[in-house]
Amino acid sequence: MKITVLGAAGGIGQALSLLLKMKLPAGFKLALYDVAPVAPGIAVDLSHIPTDVAVKGFTGDDLPKALEASNVVVICAGIARKPGMHRADLFKFNAGVTRDLISAGAAICPNACFCIITNPVNSMVPIAAEVLKKAGVYNPQKLFGVTMLDVIRAETFVANFLGRAAGTIRVNVIGGHSGKTILPVMSQVGGFEFTDEEAAALVRHIQDAGTEVVDAKAGNGSATLAMAAAGYRFINAVVRGLMEEENVIECAYVEGGSQHSRFFSQPMRLGKEGWYKVLPYGPLTQAEKDSLDLMLPTLRDEIRMGEDFVLKPE
Ligand code: LMR
């Protein structure tokens, strides 16, 4: 199986490529592409790590070579937020980057699973969907917005709050990946009932966590390492599904027939053809229903921005 990382020289791309090189099963191939000419060098660097994952780096006009025969394409190219910016402020630059990379993927490896990390995810996934549709190769079950960072943050903050061991709590996060569109379903965390105040404080922390990192990095980027860890967990789940492991379940932002919006993040089962069944996330409390109602206009607007970028270019 071959995994291609597009944007491999960036903060997320390098850390994610390291995790993939270290942890993918023996025999896998890893292709690293970046417009930055250091990408082949990063591949040489990684190739000295003793695992049976073959790494090759590409730059410039070699994007088709990086994509050739790829089973999973991860897009983490583009620019990151600086303090004071919202994820939506990245749209102008990152929309064109995502469109161009997905167009190449549509031409070279149309049957791959496409995993989008580039922000604003809420709008980049609709762009990818419309580009793939235009090319006549859109398979909604193979297009994912990676919202796993919200899940790992939720799981970390909740475990810390409860004094439980890290990694022992599962939290579904539904909606999208920006501000109020991030909705952790606290009412369904097993074995504990939060008060309204406790749930609200944890939700606020999870929603603001990206901004917390942007502010802490003080103009030098946004989350890269936790994002890479989250990206690895998600890509690994996609790969396990493709390899026909049963019962692989994670949350992702997909066109899955949600009653709420065209694209919606929710838990789903992954299989040999991508995701194949979106799963219920349990009954919401009144406060969670209110939060969902409140976020939907924003989420739908961000989806429309992505669709319009491809369907109604200026
Ligand atoms: C995050 O949640 O950390 C990422 O989406 C990056 C950002 O701009 O917040």
Side-chain angles (χ1 to χ4, degrees):
M1 213 174 273
K2 177 173 167 182
I3 317 288
T4 301
V5 180
L6 305 179
I12 298 168
Q14 289 205 35
L16 176 60
S17 300
L18 174 62
L19 288 169
L20 292 167
K21 166 66 176 149
M22 302 277 293
K23 291 174 167 237
L24 281 175
F28 269 55
K29 291 183 187 149
L30 188 54
L32 311 183
Y33 176 85
D34 204 294
V35 286
V38 70
I42 291 169
V44 173
D45 189 356
L46 286 177
S47 74
H48 295 178
I49 298 171
T51 65
D52 291 320
V53 174
V55 201
K56 262 198 178 167
F58 303 89
T59 189
D61 294 339
D62 280 346
L63 178 58
K65 286 187 193 154
L67 290 167
E68 208 168 67
S70 196
N71 302 94
V72 181
V73 176
V74 187
I75 300 187
C76 51
I79 55 166
R81 282 201 283 165
K82 290 198 185 317
M85 288 170 80
H86 296 284
R87 290 183 186 82
D89 297 327
L90 303 174
F91 184 94
K92 237 184 161 152
F93 186 85
N94 288 353
V97 171
T98 300
R99 177 198 55 208
D100 296 348
L101 292 174
I102 281 284
S103 299
I108 309 287
C109 53
N111 295 320
C113 288
F114 294 97
C115 305
I116 314 276
I117 290 176
T118 299
N119 267 320
V121 169
N122 291 359
S123 307
M124 294 304 114
V125 175
I127 288 178
E130 292 308 328
V131 169
L132 290 163
K133 231 196 222 174
K134 255 190 171 174
V137 295
Y138 179 42
N139 178 352
Q141 283 162 275
K142 289 189 165 183
L143 175 63
F144 305 91
V146 181
T147 51
M148 184 61 69
L149 182 50
D150 305 311
V151 172
I152 70 165
R153 284 171 171 156
E155 292 177 352
T156 304
F157 300 164
V158 170
N160 289 348
F161 175 79
L162 297 177
R164 303 258 183 92
T168 57
I169 303 272
R170 267 196 92 105
V171 185
N172 287 325
V173 182
I174 62 171
H177 178 64
S178 74
K180 301 272 181 236
T181 73
I182 300 168
L183 182 56
V185 189
M186 303 301 296
S187 61
Q188 300 300 315
V189 174
F192 193 82
E193 252 180 58
F194 298 95
T195 64
D196 288 350
E197 291 72 28
E198 288 167 343
L202 282 161
V203 167
R204 219 174 307 118
H205 189 193
I206 296 158
Q207 290 176 337
D208 293 345
T211 305
E212 188 183 319
V213 179
V214 169
D215 290 343
K217 289 194 174 177
N220 295 294
S222 55
T224 51
L225 303 174
M227 182 63 247
Y232 172 73
R233 172 165 150 185
F234 185 70
I235 291 150
N236 185 44
V238 170
V239 164
R240 284 161 53 214
L242 294 176
M243 292 170 75
E244 299 188 45
E245 183 178 321
E246 278 178 23
N247 237 2
V248 183
I249 297 173
E250 291 292 6
C251 290
Y253 179 70
V254 300
E255 180 166 5
S258 168
Q259 68 195 72
H260 302 301
S261 55
R262 178 179 171 200
F263 297 92
F264 196 78
S265 190
Q266 58 209 317
M268 63 199 56
R269 268 182 212 284
L270 295 151
K272 66 179 172 32
E273 295 295 337
W275 68 266
Y276 64 93
K277 191 173 192 329
V278 292
L279 299 171
Y281 38 81
L284 300 182
T285 61
Q286 191 52 50
E288 288 167 343
K289 280 186 197 154
D290 292 345
S291 301
L292 179 58
D293 287 344
L294 194 73
M295 74 143 90
L296 286 177
T298 305
L299 184 58
R300 291 180 189 140
D301 278 354
E302 292 182 345
I303 290 169
R304 199 166 316 113
M305 260 180 88
E307 292 167 339
D308 287 352
F309 181 76
V310 181
L311 298 175
K312 301 178 190 167
E314 279 162 18

